[in-house]
Amino acid sequence: MSKIHLMSHLVAGYPSDELAFTAASALVAGGADILEIQLPFSDPCADGPAIQQACTQVLSRSYKTADGLAFIQRLHQAFPSITIYLMSYASLVYTPGVEVFCKKAAQAGVKGMIIPDLPFDCDEGLTKACIANGMENIPVVAPSMTKERLHSLAYAGFSHIYAALRTGITGSDTVIDDSTLTFLSQVSEGGSKIYGGFGIKDGTQAKALASSVEAIVAGSVFVRLITEYQNDQKKLYDAVLQKTKELTNQA
């Protein structure tokens, strides 16, 4: 099997901007294709314990949306060839105004927005604002979506769709089985390319999933490594680098 495409998830500013940048550098060196950068949020609906804890720690420093965008801009300047997506929740996008937020995100180097609690068919103008600013809106779908809405989303014309491989929150164990692959086939039947994640943490899962998606998505596994090695920058870099190579089939 050739290299597996990877979208890697990081929380901006966790545990510090410098260490988050170290982790991002290791991800890029290890072969990550996309950096999905989450703006810390106080009440996430999709994030598991590892990411929730990371967000809480960053917010305790009075970290602002502007700080997260500045971090993204730094990544974009350091790695201009790497695609950066911004992941957040509706409140942070809607409060300043969707158009205003999208303009600032695009100026920072963001190429796509992933906002789980803004549904594709009720997105407060997110898709339109993304297009106006040279970005794309990447809607999120889960197996709990009705067949009717899933069909509507599949044929709605999005370039990419983020498929959560199971219901619930991130970070728990995910089994890649026939039902998972059937779900992914349904999501992609309208021609959208699929990013598949939620609970991907090892090479075996990545290989089972790779042929059915444009890229696998992994997040909590990296946040846990950052937490474990946050007191040793070199070990943090090496651990993230090795895990990235494992997930992209280059270990």
Side-chain angles (χ1 to χ4, degrees):
M1 179 182 284
S2 58
K3 178 185 177 295
I4 296 172
H5 294 298
L6 170 67
M7 181 200 298
S8 52
H9 180 111
L10 291 178
V11 176
Y14 180 72
S16 66
D17 277 356
E18 201 57 44
L19 289 174
F21 186 84
T22 296
S25 300
L27 288 164
V28 173
D33 303 274
I34 302 165
L35 296 178
E36 179 193 5
I37 308 301
Q38 177 172 349
L39 298 183
F41 190 64
S42 60
D43 190 25
C45 63
D47 300 321
I51 294 177
Q52 287 185 34
Q53 184 274 329
C55 287
T56 298
Q57 183 172 323
V58 177
L59 290 172
S60 71
R61 307 201 313 263
S62 298
Y63 203 82
K64 306 298 185 185
T65 295
D67 299 317
L69 291 175
F71 176 71
I72 288 172
Q73 186 169 33
R74 179 184 176 189
L75 290 178
H76 178 59
Q77 291 171 344
F79 311 110
S81 64
I82 295 293
T83 298
I84 298 177
Y85 292 153
L86 185 154
M87 183 265 170
S88 187
Y89 290 95
S91 177
L92 293 184
V93 179
Y94 185 80
T95 299
V98 174
E99 292 183 6
V100 171
F101 186 96
C102 286
K103 183 177 181 179
K104 289 182 177 180
Q107 289 173 340
V110 173
K111 293 301 182 185
M113 301 279 286
I114 301 172
I115 314 296
D117 53 347
L118 279 180
F120 77 98
D121 50 358
C122 188
D123 70 2
E124 301 291 346
L126 178 62
T127 298
K128 181 179 178 180
C130 283
I131 293 171
N133 288 281
M135 302 186 297
E136 63 173 304
N137 178 26
I138 303 167
V140 179
V141 60
S144 56
M145 183 177 281
T146 65
K147 291 182 179 180
E148 292 76 17
R149 291 194 73 239
L150 178 55
H151 181 82
S152 296
L153 173 55
Y155 287 90
F158 290 97
S159 296
H160 296 91
I161 298 173
Y162 183 127
L165 302 180
R166 54 174 172 72
T167 57
I169 56 176
T170 61
S172 302
D173 289 340
T174 296
V175 177
I176 311 300
D177 55 19
D178 288 343
S179 64
T180 306
L181 301 182
T182 298
F183 168 63
L184 291 171
S185 178
Q186 292 169 338
V187 177
S188 64
E189 67 180 13
S192 300
K193 296 179 180 179
I194 309 302
Y195 300 128
F198 260 51
I200 302 303
K201 59 184 181 182
D202 61 43
T204 299
Q205 290 171 307
K207 291 173 184 176
L209 187 60
S211 63
S212 299
V213 297
E214 174 76 2
I216 66 164
V217 185
S220 293
V221 62
F222 291 119
V223 175
R224 291 192 186 102
L225 287 174
I226 294 167
T227 301
E228 181 176 357
Y229 296 109
Q230 61 184 300
N231 294 320
D232 189 320
Q233 190 170 15
K234 184 180 185 306
K235 286 184 178 179
L236 187 157
Y237 182 94
D238 290 345
V240 172
L241 177 68
Q242 184 58 39
K243 178 56 68 172
T244 306
K245 288 183 175 180
E246 176 192 343
L247 291 173
T248 56
N249 197 36
Q250 300 179 96

